[in-house]
Amino acid sequence: MRHLTTALATLYALAAAALIHSGLTAAQQGAPGHAALCAATAILLGLGIVHHAYHRDQLRTALAHLERAIRPAGPSEQQLADEAALGWHALATCCCLTGLMSGGTDHETTCTRKDHHA
């Protein structure tokens, strides 16, 4: 959809440029009414481009707000701090790192600090 709207804005600009050219040619040929009509139409197309860009930015902002609103909430800072504290406590109180990482299954065969465990 974004490519389509960009192409449409480009076509508006090209049509405005063509109308300006037509208006200048009409003015040189002595048709001031036709030149004024072309200039007014080119101005309207220019305003359309600006209006189009404004709405595109509004849609992007609304989409960003919507995406933030539907995104699931993550853990709070306090929950993360509690998890970290529990992890550090488990590391500090374990007899050996191998025992901690293996959930205690490798502790008996690999621990060199057997005399320090509780």
Side-chain angles (χ1 to χ4, degrees), residues 1-7:
M1 188 67 159
R2 186 172 59 175
H3 297 295
L4 179 63
T5 56
T6 302

Side-chain angles (χ1 to χ4, degrees), residues 94-100 102 104-118:
C94 74
C95 183
C96 65
L97 187 59
T98 305
L100 176 71
S102 67
T105 58
D106 293 338
H107 173 75
E108 295 302 322
T109 59
T110 61
C111 182
T112 58
R113 300 179 60 199
K114 291 183 182 181
D115 56 333
H116 294 344
H117 69 281

Side-chain angles (χ1 to χ4, degrees), residues 16-77:
L19 281 167
I20 290 171
H21 178 4
S22 295
L24 289 174
T25 303
Q28 290 172 350
Q29 299 296 323
H34 186 70
L37 180 64
C38 287
T41 307
I43 290 170
L44 283 175
L45 279 172
L47 290 173
I49 293 169
V50 171
H51 185 70
H52 174 80
Y54 174 75
H55 279 286
R56 182 189 62 219
D57 291 342
Q58 278 189 326
L59 285 173
R60 284 184 185 161
T61 302
L63 180 62
H65 287 297
L66 182 63
E67 286 176 349
R68 269 189 239 112
I70 63 173
R71 187 177 304 141
S76 69
E77 288 185 31

Side-chain angles (χ1 to χ4, degrees), residues 5-20:
T5 56
T6 302
L8 187 59
T10 303
L11 288 174
Y12 285 163
L14 289 173
L19 281 167
I20 290 171

Side-chain angles (χ1 to χ4, degrees), residues 72-94:
S76 69
E77 288 185 31
Q78 185 59 45
Q79 288 171 326
L80 291 174
D82 291 345
E83 281 289 323
L86 288 173
W88 283 112
H89 178 71
L91 182 60
T93 58
C94 74

